[in-house]
Amino acid sequence: MSTEKRTINFTLNGREVAAEVRPQWNMVEMLQNVFGLTGARESCGQGLCGCCTVLIDGKATTGCLQLAALVDGKDVQTIESLEVDGELSPEQQAFIETGGFQCGYCTPGMILMTKKLLDENPEPTDDDVRHYLSGNLCRCAAYPEIIDAVKRAGELRKAS
Amino acid sequence: MAMQTTIIGQSVPRLESKDKVTGRAEYIHTMQLPGMLHAKVFRSDVPHGRIKSIDTADAAAVPGVFGVYTGEDIKTVIPEPYYGPAFHDQPILALDKVRHVGEPVAVVLAEDPHVAEEATQLIYAEFEELPAVYDEIEALDSEAIVHDELKPAGTFPDLKHLAGRRDTNIALDYHLRRGDTDAAFAEAAHVFEHTFRTQQTMHTPLEPMVTLAEQREGRLILHSSSQSPSFVRIEISRLLGWPENKVRVRVPFLGGGFGAKVYIKTEALAAAMTLLSNRPVKYAQTMEEQFYTITKHPCTFRIKSGVSEDGAILARECEVWWNGGAYADIGPRVTQKSGFTAAGPYDIENVTIDSYALYTNRPPAGALRGFGIPQLVWAYEGHTDLIAKELGLDPLVFRRQNILKNGRPQAVGTELVDTEIDGVLEELGRRMNWSTPLDKGEGTVRRGRGIGVGFKASISPTTSVAIVNVNADGSVVVHCSTTDMGQGSDTVMAQIAAEVLDVPIETVIVVHPDTDVTPYDMSTLGSRSTYHMGHAVRLAATEARDKLAAMADELGLPDGHNVPVKELFIRKFGMQAGNVVGSGDYKPPYAPTDHDTGQSPNATPYWMIGATGVEVSVDTETGHVTIDRMVNVADLGTALNPEIVATQLSGAAVMQLGFTMTEDMVYDAGQVTNANLADYKIPGFFDIPFDMENAVVEAEQKSGPFGAKGVGESGTFGVSPAIASAVDDAVGVRITDMPLTPEKVFRALRDAAGNPLEEA
């Protein structure tokens, strides 16, 4: 197995960055190993739970299945980008208001998907939410509160 | 420092909310240390066998591999490497024998986890296969003996009598005898007998189990995803022969626990690896590996009841066999501590219970959200409904006629106090509009409804200790070893401290478990923390408050003074300096159960009650069951944080919904074939009932902190039997073995129609 690193350049949360990555690293490993970002986490390792969600060129991607080397030249956004100057995003605020999490492990993925959904559909129905977030799992089963959070985030975004 | 508002009973948002929504909350699975090695495990591919050889040469030769280790290497740092909370039966790495597929046999350490993973595939082990047993009933008299001799740990006095027993797979037998069942059965107008089964499932916490071990200053530091930091410290100290203070266990947040992370799981292997390599070692499991590490007991339960002409349950006989897998873990305690409630929350004069923990060649089983109770409720509530159906009685009326009430002894001999079982049933009936008939539908989709109620004793006796430190500026630090795995314990402990000290909750922080600075706690399990640790924090805060009062007194201040705490410290120490430290410990009164009769006048400090009602639609052409409505009602004493309580109920109920409908570890010759979230289906957004209510009855646990008792598991109790009863109500077939897959329901429908489907 090659342990030789190669250098890639990409945009991470709005900043131009360079990273030395091993060919077998996935996005979660790169974010943790190189940048110390722990909001995207590995869980199922099969792209089924959404705990590792990151946005690549605006597209929600399961970071555990995405080879890091392939984001060369792309735009990557993680949960860490949502809080700006100490201000939580409307999605983050809504999850707190509605209690949309328990253990918090799946929460970054849920919040990134909420942001994506509301970008595309500012007034989703319960069913829209279920469909859009169906690739994200929450073993604590905070699902009813997460649906509330998405709708609350829509309201907060409209108000801001 | 008087304040108007009280913080108890307020839905305070979780203290760590901001860290959780920004991705900053700390979990060990994402932790790294400089110089850290990753441990990857080579596992057994046979269910039962003697180890003939393990060839690690090719693995060790892989570039980037630091070292490869087997059980024999472990012995050089831990001569007796067997661990476990109930029995010292589990080797850190297999020695002599393997007892289940997936048992750890060898470990590769490397800086790159991919290198370590690849190298494990170059390890070759030869096993002499032995006969294996997978079923809990077959294990009773199988030629396959999983352990030659029982090795109880000595931690629990009621397991000591098992030491030295040989050539049996029965790890523990518990017996309860009350009244005269034989005579009562002879008298009864009706006798009913049924057998129910549950399947093996897994907790699947989304943060897989993990320990990162390192050594500093001759001590061992374990950063671990543990629900039991105090136990881990004690057990690792015992394995090493070290004093407790040479081992430090630190636990930040857990990405879910549900019982998977209780007692000791990944810690012993990580500890051994750091000692062997002299490097920090991270043993982070994958989702798949979790299925080989700990599971929920499959269970077979034969239940028999004698009922009088007017519907009174006169006698009940229960035989329960728990499939504990290859290592005991906490299974023997499940067998006993939950076993004594097997006859259900009913007032029955004559009861016998025989509950058996069995070793088999499956991955180990332990505690999973309910500690065996959901398996028991599945059977006794299914049995209750089958009796009601046979006798033409309304299921709710029949239950309420026989329900246990305060002041009456439960089968174990302990009287019920502050336990509103009937109140829970009444509230459930009201919310379900039970007295109004349900529209049963027509054509191919039929509707039905069902209810189930269960109860649980708190695992007893257990101890919690807390420290409350008031700083010189009046801010407060709570030290306790309760692990916050999403249940909101940090928030509730802060509420209790704030209430006692009469300070705003914003001025209170809770230190996460770190055995260097947080005192002993038995474990975060069994819905015990609010009650036990809640009391300890209350007592510690009370002591701190009393010391502050004494300080004011010493300074010559009158009672009822309004000098701020900060000013007290300045007056006493001449500057912002000093601390006031209070401590508290709590262990409830308890009387052990009698070995022969299983009776105890005080087996538990409180009882937890959970009931669920559902309305379902059954598609008779596919067997598919849809949960249209779910109502969960509980008695948890006083809710200290009502919103967190409601989410505990709904989260527990949805988890149990998964165990009821889809989750099932499937085996082929001892090998789990679906150890991943693609093939093992946990509930997602589409699986939750569209209409779900969670309610608590007004109640007070007078012995509890501010009237509270536990709630983390109560939502699981009634779910499974309620759904099976609703299916029966809808289409007239009764499923007695979980889960209720569409195939199983469809087969039952075809069987009932006299047109059975061929086996696939």
Side-chain angles (χ1 to χ4, degrees):
Chain A
M1 181 172 292
S2 168
T3 51
E4 235 168 80
K5 292 184 178 177
R6 60 176 283 199
T7 302
I8 59 169
N9 297 284
F10 63 104
T11 308
L12 176 61
N13 296 333
R15 289 170 183 271
E16 298 293 319
V17 296
E20 282 189 34
V21 298
R22 290 185 183 162
Q24 64 272 27
W25 280 0
N26 63 38
M27 281 299 288
V28 175
E29 290 176 292
M30 177 181 72
L31 290 169
Q32 294 184 4
N33 295 348
V34 181
F35 299 100
L37 298 178
T38 58
R41 295 117 191 195
E42 185 144 337
S43 177
C44 75
Q46 292 181 294
L48 296 164
C49 70
C51 290
C52 57
T53 302
V54 293
L55 305 181
I56 299 177
D57 284 346
K59 194 171 166 216
T61 305
T62 46
C64 73
L65 297 184
Q66 171 70 42
L67 284 176
L70 300 181
V71 301
D72 191 26
K74 295 186 189 285
D75 180 77
V76 175
Q77 204 181 346
T78 70
I79 186 71
E80 285 85 358
S81 69
L82 264 60
E83 186 192 13
V84 179
D85 298 331
E87 284 280 312
L88 295 180
S89 75
E91 299 83 9
Q92 292 171 315
Q93 191 59 42
F95 270 72
I96 295 178
E97 284 181 24
T98 61
F101 52 86
Q102 293 185 24
C103 83
Y105 201 75
C106 72
T107 311
M110 292 285 182
I111 289 177
L112 283 174
M113 291 305 287
T114 300
K115 181 179 152 45
K116 279 294 296 168
L117 168 59
L118 294 173
D119 286 348
E120 292 170 19
N121 177 0
E123 288 183 51
T125 63
D126 283 13
D127 208 39
D128 293 336
V129 177
R130 282 192 196 95
H131 274 274
Y132 204 92
L133 268 65
S134 62
N136 291 64
L137 295 172
C138 172
R139 190 51 154 163
C140 306
Y143 296 117
E145 296 79 27
I146 293 170
I147 294 173
D148 292 345
V150 177
K151 296 167 88 175
R152 177 66 185 144
E155 290 168 17
L156 290 173
R157 280 164 60 120
K158 225 177 277 172
S160 65
Chain B
M1 48 193 236
M3 270 183 49
Q4 299 301 314
T5 55
T6 160
I7 197 75
I8 292 294
Q10 305 281 323
S11 290
V12 179
R14 286 181 164 77
L15 302 185
E16 73 285 4
S17 290
K18 192 169 177 185
D19 275 27
K20 284 187 174 168
V21 299
T22 54
R24 281 197 297 260
E26 186 190 357
Y27 305 93
I28 299 303
H29 216 270
T30 61
M31 183 179 175
Q32 307 200 355
L33 284 173
M36 174 178 95
L37 300 173
H38 290 270
K40 290 289 176 185
V41 177
F42 170 80
R43 294 172 183 276
S44 169
D45 59 1
V46 303
H48 196 192
R50 281 186 209 294
I51 299 171
K52 288 169 71 181
S53 66
I54 307 171
D55 180 354
T56 60
D58 286 358
V62 171
V65 165
F66 179 91
V68 186
Y69 305 90
T70 66
E72 294 302 322
D73 298 310
I74 301 264
K75 281 180 164 176
T76 64
V77 287
I78 302 174
E80 278 291 324
Y82 292 91
Y83 67 93
F87 286 64
H88 293 158
D89 60 355
Q90 191 159 8
I92 295 173
L93 289 174
L95 289 164
D96 313 324
K97 250 172 81 160
V98 289
R99 296 180 175 87
H100 68 91
V101 173
E103 177 164 0
V105 173
V107 173
V108 178
L109 297 183
E111 281 177 16
D112 187 320
H114 298 277
V115 170
E117 179 73 44
E118 186 182 69
T120 61
Q121 292 166 29
L122 300 173
I123 295 173
Y124 312 103
E126 275 191 85
F127 303 101
E128 174 200 337
E129 284 209 51
L130 298 167
V133 61
Y134 311 114
D135 179 88
E136 60 272 17
I137 302 297
E138 288 169 17
L140 286 165
D141 55 6
S142 168
E143 61 168 317
I145 296 293
V146 182
H147 292 268
D148 297 336
E149 185 179 333
L150 301 186
K151 297 199 285 183
T155 318
F156 302 109
D158 43 9
L159 302 179
K160 278 185 182 149
H161 66 282
L162 299 165
R165 278 196 195 171
R166 293 188 64 84
D167 302 323
T168 178
N169 291 320
I170 301 176
L172 175 89
D173 53 314
Y174 168 77
H175 308 285
L176 182 148
R177 296 289 178 269
R178 184 171 187 80
D180 184 344
T181 42
D182 288 344
F185 277 124
E187 251 175 55
H190 311 277
V191 174
F192 301 91
E193 183 175 333
H194 303 106
T195 299
F196 292 83
R197 296 179 68 111
T198 62
Q199 81 284 28
Q200 193 169 22
T201 57
M202 206 271 146
H203 319 59
T204 69
L206 291 188
E207 180 200 22
M209 290 174 254
V210 54
T211 300
L212 204 175
E214 60 170 327
Q215 300 172 78
R216 285 181 195 275
E217 300 169 30
R219 302 171 67 215
L220 193 60
I221 305 173
L222 302 173
H223 310 267
S224 194
S225 66
S226 174
Q227 294 176 233
S228 314
S230 302
F231 180 82
V232 168
R233 182 168 78 157
I234 288 170
E235 187 68 344
I236 297 292
S237 301
R238 180 189 68 80
L239 286 167
L240 295 171
W242 290 7
E244 280 191 49
N245 68 359
K246 281 188 75 182
V247 178
R248 174 184 173 201
V249 182
R250 195 184 73 83
V251 183
F253 291 110
L254 298 195
F258 317 112
K261 299 169 180 175
V262 296
Y263 295 105
I264 176 165
K265 294 295 176 336
T266 46
E267 291 85 359
L269 180 58
M273 287 302 129
T274 193
L275 291 171
L276 283 167
S277 65
N278 265 316
R279 295 271 291 268
V281 173
K282 184 175 182 180
Y283 172 29
Q285 290 199 338
T286 61
M287 187 60 74
E288 178 189 353
E289 288 180 292
Q290 296 201 98
F291 286 85
Y292 306 131
T293 305
I294 196 67
T295 68
K296 181 174 181 169
H297 288 81
C299 174
T300 299
F301 186 165
R302 188 186 66 80
I303 183 166
K304 179 179 164 188
S305 293
V307 183
S308 74
E309 203 57 66
D310 61 354
I313 306 171
L314 303 174
R316 184 161 280 183
E317 193 177 277
C318 306
E319 275 187 293
V320 194
W321 297 275
W322 304 89
N323 189 330
Y327 296 103
D329 196 82
I330 203 60
R333 300 289 281 178
V334 172
T335 302
Q336 181 194 17
K337 292 289 179 179
S338 291
F340 76 66
T341 70
Y346 299 104
D347 197 336
I348 309 172
E349 292 283 356
N350 305 288
V351 175
T352 71
I353 297 171
D354 298 297
S355 183
Y356 302 93
L358 276 310
Y359 279 123
T360 64
N361 295 109
R362 295 194 191 207
L368 198 173
R369 207 164 194 172
F371 212 68
I373 297 297
Q375 291 98 314
L376 299 173
V377 187
W378 167 246
Y380 65 64
E381 285 297 86
H383 182 61
T384 298
D385 281 321
L386 286 169
I387 295 172
K389 189 176 178 181
E390 191 70 28
L391 298 180
L393 301 171
D394 177 87
L396 181 62
V397 173
F398 178 51
R399 281 177 171 83
R400 294 191 65 189
Q401 177 189 349
N402 285 287
I403 209 76
L404 258 181
K405 296 199 169 130
N406 284 323
R408 293 287 303 159
Q410 193 268 346
V412 78
T414 301
E415 266 184 27
L416 251 65
V417 179
D418 296 343
T419 304
E420 308 299 336
I421 315 178
D422 193 42
V424 165
L425 278 176
E426 187 180 9
E427 180 66 13
L428 181 67
R430 195 181 67 73
R431 287 177 179 264
M432 293 289 293
N433 302 317
W434 195 260
S435 52
T436 310
L438 183 77
D439 174 5
K440 305 290 272 294
E442 52 189 39
T444 58
V445 177
R446 298 302 177 97
R447 302 188 68 236
R449 62 183 178 177
I451 54 172
V453 61
F455 75 145
K456 179 176 190 283
S458 176
I459 311 304
S460 199
T462 66
T463 300
S464 290
V465 186
I467 293 170
V468 169
N469 171 16
V470 181
N471 292 318
D473 64 353
S475 62
V476 177
V477 184
V478 176
H479 298 250
C480 72
S481 292
T482 296
T483 297
D484 199 325
M485 50 192 174
Q487 82 281 37
S489 54
D490 280 6
T491 309
V492 168
M493 296 310 155
Q495 284 180 265
I496 291 172
E499 179 76 22
V500 173
L501 290 164
D502 199 7
V503 298
I505 191 162
E506 295 75 23
T507 67
V508 182
I509 67 153
V510 179
V511 177
H512 291 147
D514 176 343
T515 56
D516 272 7
V517 294
T518 59
Y520 176 86
D521 177 49
M522 181 263 190
S523 180
T524 304
L525 58 72
S527 308
R528 65 176 292 282
S529 300
T530 298
Y531 188 93
H532 295 79
M533 187 57 81
H535 266 310
V537 169
R538 180 185 62 80
L539 291 166
T542 304
E543 186 174 292
R545 187 187 65 194
D546 292 349
K547 284 185 175 177
L548 286 170
M551 199 158 119
D553 202 38
E554 192 185 313
L555 293 166
L557 294 166
D559 282 353
H561 71 88
N562 60 359
V563 176
V565 170
K566 183 175 178 174
E567 180 62 24
L568 288 182
F569 279 96
I570 290 174
R571 289 196 197 178
K572 170 152 181 170
F573 296 105
M575 58 193 295
Q576 185 173 327
N579 294 87
V580 158
V581 179
S583 68
D585 58 68
Y586 186 77
K587 179 184 169 224
Y590 171 76
T593 53
D594 180 85
H595 180 263
D596 297 322
T597 66
Q599 296 289 296
S600 160
N602 192 0
T604 175
Y606 57 96
W607 302 89
M608 292 161 276
I609 313 301
T612 293
V614 295
E615 293 172 10
V616 306
S617 296
V618 183
D619 185 331
T620 56
E621 291 183 308
T622 63
H624 191 86
V625 177
T626 306
I627 315 296
D628 300 319
R629 180 158 186 246
M630 174 185 267
V631 180
N632 305 304
V633 183
D635 162 18
L636 44 102
T638 307
L640 302 187
N641 187 318
E643 272 185 27
I644 291 182
V645 159
T647 57
Q648 280 292 291
L649 286 176
S650 104
V654 171
M655 189 167 208
Q656 188 65 30
L657 182 66
F659 299 144
T660 310
M661 306 303 290
T662 56
E663 296 182 44
D664 186 6
M665 289 171 63
V666 176
Y667 282 87
D668 182 3
Q671 165 78 55
V672 188
T673 60
N674 61 341
N676 61 75
L677 293 191
D679 301 313
Y680 180 91
K681 171 80 175 71
I682 68 171
F685 274 96
F686 285 116
D687 302 301
I688 55 166
F690 281 82
D691 180 357
M692 183 158 60
E693 282 174 48
N694 304 289
V696 302
V697 295
E698 208 154 303
E700 184 189 4
Q701 178 70 35
K702 291 189 191 69
S703 68
F706 304 100
K709 54 187 170 187
V711 63
E713 301 158 303
S714 307
T716 65
F717 300 163
V719 173
S720 307
I723 294 172
S725 293
V727 170
D728 192 352
D729 186 42
V731 294
V733 299
R734 182 80 204 190
I735 308 294
T736 55
D737 57 329
M738 285 169 45
L740 278 74
T741 57
E743 179 182 338
K744 200 177 286 173
V745 173
F746 188 63
R747 283 183 182 281
L749 283 166
R750 290 283 296 261
D751 287 349
N755 182 21
L757 274 183
E758 278 177 35
E759 282 302 315

